Amino acid sequence: MPFSAASMLPQATIKSPSNSNAPREWQLEDLIDFDFALESASKSGKISDHQHREAFLQFQKENDRNGTKSNSTERSKAFRYWLDKQRQRPPLADALPGQLFCRGIRTLRTLIYLAALLSGTLMTAALLRYDGTQPTNVAGFLSLLLGGQLVLLAATGAGFLLRRFGIIRWESGIIAPGIHFCLNRCVKWIQQNVQEKSSAESRLRMQAFLGSVTRKHSHYQAIILGILSTLLQSFGIWFNVAAVATTLFLVTVSDRAFGWQSSLNLSSQEIHHVTQRIASPWSFILPSIAPTITEIEGSRIFLKDGIKTLANQNLVSWWPFLACSLLVYGFAPRFLLWLGSHWFVRNRLNQIRFDSLTCDRLWESMNKQELRTSGSALGKPENPPPPLEMVALQEAPPMSEEKKEEPYALVIVEPELAKRSSQNKIDTAIHELIGWTVSRWIKLPDETQSSAVFWEQVEPIRNEASFERIVLIQEAFQPPIRETIAWIKELRATQAPNGKMMIYLVGRPKEAGRRQEVCETNHQVWTQSVDALHDNNLAVSLLEIIDDNE
């Protein structure tokens, strides 16, 4: 898992976590800020910082003080509290991408409202233009105002069904490029707004994060799609509101005439039958809002005769029918789709489980016990030193249902590295870093073996629980060449969709069983290569190990 300086947002206030610990629903801006802060902590090597543990302990204390039962499995509440803390520290204190992104969405929404009101008003006024000689054509009025909307509704329904049954994917249409285009424009807009308020590093980090947000964080794809749908439906809603309001206003303050004509040999009875069908949704409540057969016959226009022979009451009898048609077939479907899009976005936000690999690492850091020792220097014999005291920051949370299932993992390592390293020490280090329990080791083929040997070892264990979590221990000085990246992608493809893979980099061996620190350049090369895969359950970190020949 899978997109401003606070001083720039005087109207947007950040709720302090000390004010209230009541559960709050996640908003899109919260999710973007959370992923940005989490990714920044991961890339800066601060994913295991002690501040995460301190924030979690404060979260539990406030729960106890407020009488709220604390459930350690509810990552959502703990992560929300952690986010509020992070918003007070860099990099979120320098730039709030979530709030800026949503402010851009709100600006776009306002422009859409104005465009819809303006276009609906102007188009309706043009169609209702009456100079005393040529009435408004009812068929043309409905076709221009409702025809396009009904076609778009049919296309939306067809697209939803095709994607629902897997016939087409959203990436194959025009939606995904549209989303990426909007995000790129949003990135440029954010850069313009924060260039004087944040450092160059923060701007570049934000640009990289938002540029890959829909690819690496898959949950944004559906959420942003839902938001775009709400914006489109908002346009339709306000377009129809403007059309109805303009119609009612013009027929109230001026003289308007409506009629129908056709080159085909259509009778008034056939037109009356069509209008009754169209009016069927409201005919049970307002049966009179539809022209009668007499009014239809009296409003038929013949070009050679003009309208001089037509009665005025017949020419004005159509406007209630037209207004109701706009409300029922224009406004109502858009409003229902708008409600559905809002529900879809809210449901997607509530379904986020925060179970990505980076979230696991943060959760383990927040729940990890930290021990420290305290004592005094040796004094006089009559004052013996106090014994070492083991002080725990706080007892570990009670074992939950989530923790009862042991997160077994598989370690993949090169033969030479496995020969020189202590398996027990590596297993312990992995458990302390990420909370995984190593249950199996697999050695990569050496130079005399083919890659088929590795896949023969993998095939029997693909359905085991340990295969869902893979740890690859890699010497950092060996670059991620194309073949290595292709092999990692192939290995990831054999895992389940929610499978996770952690790549730990180790330094070169040196004397006395020690290893050199990983070169920063090598670390960046590996991180950039893995980030290019846009896999939210694949990460790179550093591992300090001591060889057995110490």
Side-chain angles (χ1 to χ4, degrees), residues 34-296:
F34 174 78
D35 284 333
F36 178 66
L38 192 61
E39 189 167 309
S40 298
S42 177
K43 290 185 177 180
S44 62
K46 297 181 180 180
I47 194 66
S48 300
D49 194 277
H50 65 89
Q51 291 179 348
H52 310 325
R53 173 65 177 171
E54 292 175 358
F56 184 67
L57 294 179
Q58 293 178 11
F59 170 74
Q60 289 187 319
K61 287 179 181 178
E62 292 197 9
N63 273 335
D64 296 338
R65 185 166 54 250
N66 298 331
T68 305
K69 293 183 178 180
S70 178
N71 186 350
S72 62
T73 64
E74 296 184 359
R75 297 189 179 191
S76 176
K77 297 177 183 178
F79 285 169
R80 179 59 189 267
Y81 187 92
W82 176 84
L83 173 62
D84 290 337
K85 288 288 188 181
Q86 294 301 309
R87 279 172 166 164
Q88 302 170 14
R89 308 186 184 104
L92 283 185
D94 298 331
L96 294 170
Q99 290 190 3
L100 273 176
F101 182 85
C102 291
R103 193 174 73 175
I105 293 294
R106 288 190 291 269
T107 302
L108 179 60
R109 184 185 295 119
T110 302
L111 295 177
I112 286 177
Y113 291 166
L114 295 176
L117 290 172
L118 184 63
S119 60
T121 300
L122 294 179
M123 184 176 291
T124 305
L127 292 174
L128 292 179
R129 183 177 178 275
Y130 177 54
D131 58 2
T133 59
Q134 186 64 32
T136 298
N137 190 311
V138 173
F141 182 89
L142 292 178
S143 298
L144 291 176
L145 289 183
L146 289 179
Q149 296 188 62
L150 295 177
V151 170
L152 289 177
L153 286 175
T156 300
F160 172 79
L161 292 176
L162 291 175
R163 289 179 174 86
R164 177 67 178 83
F165 293 103
I167 299 177
I168 62 174
R169 295 176 59 86
W170 76 279
E171 295 90 343
S172 61
I174 62 173
I175 297 178
I179 290 178
H180 295 316
F181 174 78
C182 293
L183 283 176
N184 290 333
R185 299 300 300 177
C186 182
V187 168
K188 294 181 179 178
W189 181 82
I190 288 176
Q191 282 187 302
Q192 295 174 357
N193 279 269
V194 303
Q195 59 184 354
E196 297 181 356
K197 299 292 183 178
S198 61
S199 63
E201 182 181 358
S202 297
R203 295 198 304 271
L204 292 175
R205 186 184 297 137
M206 190 185 305
Q207 181 180 10
F209 170 75
L210 291 176
S212 62
V213 67
T214 58
R215 298 182 180 93
K216 189 172 182 180
H217 303 271
S218 58
H219 48 256
Y220 286 113
Q221 297 172 356
I223 293 174
I224 294 178
L225 181 61
I227 291 176
L228 290 179
S229 178
T230 59
L231 294 177
L232 292 176
Q233 306 315 322
S234 297
F235 180 90
I237 289 173
W238 290 105
F239 177 89
N240 287 285
V241 167
V244 173
T246 303
T247 301
L248 296 179
F249 176 76
L250 291 179
V251 299
T252 301
V253 302
S254 61
D255 186 20
R256 302 288 158 169
F258 302 88
W260 66 279
Q261 56 187 350
S262 175
S263 300
L264 303 178
N265 189 21
L266 298 177
S267 64
S268 300
Q269 290 81 5
E270 292 174 325
I271 299 299
H272 181 260
H273 179 73
V274 172
T275 58
Q276 291 299 312
R277 291 288 186 182
I278 295 176
S280 57
W282 66 81
S283 60
F284 299 99
I285 303 175
L286 301 171
S288 61
I289 303 185
T292 63
I293 189 170
T294 302
E295 294 171 334
I296 293 175

Side-chain angles (χ1 to χ4, degrees), residues 331-345:
F331 174 83
R334 295 296 180 184
F335 183 71
L336 293 177
L337 286 175
W338 180 83
L339 290 177
S341 299
H342 263 281
W343 174 86
F344 176 80
V345 172

Side-chain angles (χ1 to χ4, degrees), residues 381-393:
E382 59 270 21
N383 296 319
L388 291 178
E389 177 189 3
M390 301 300 293
V391 181
L393 293 181

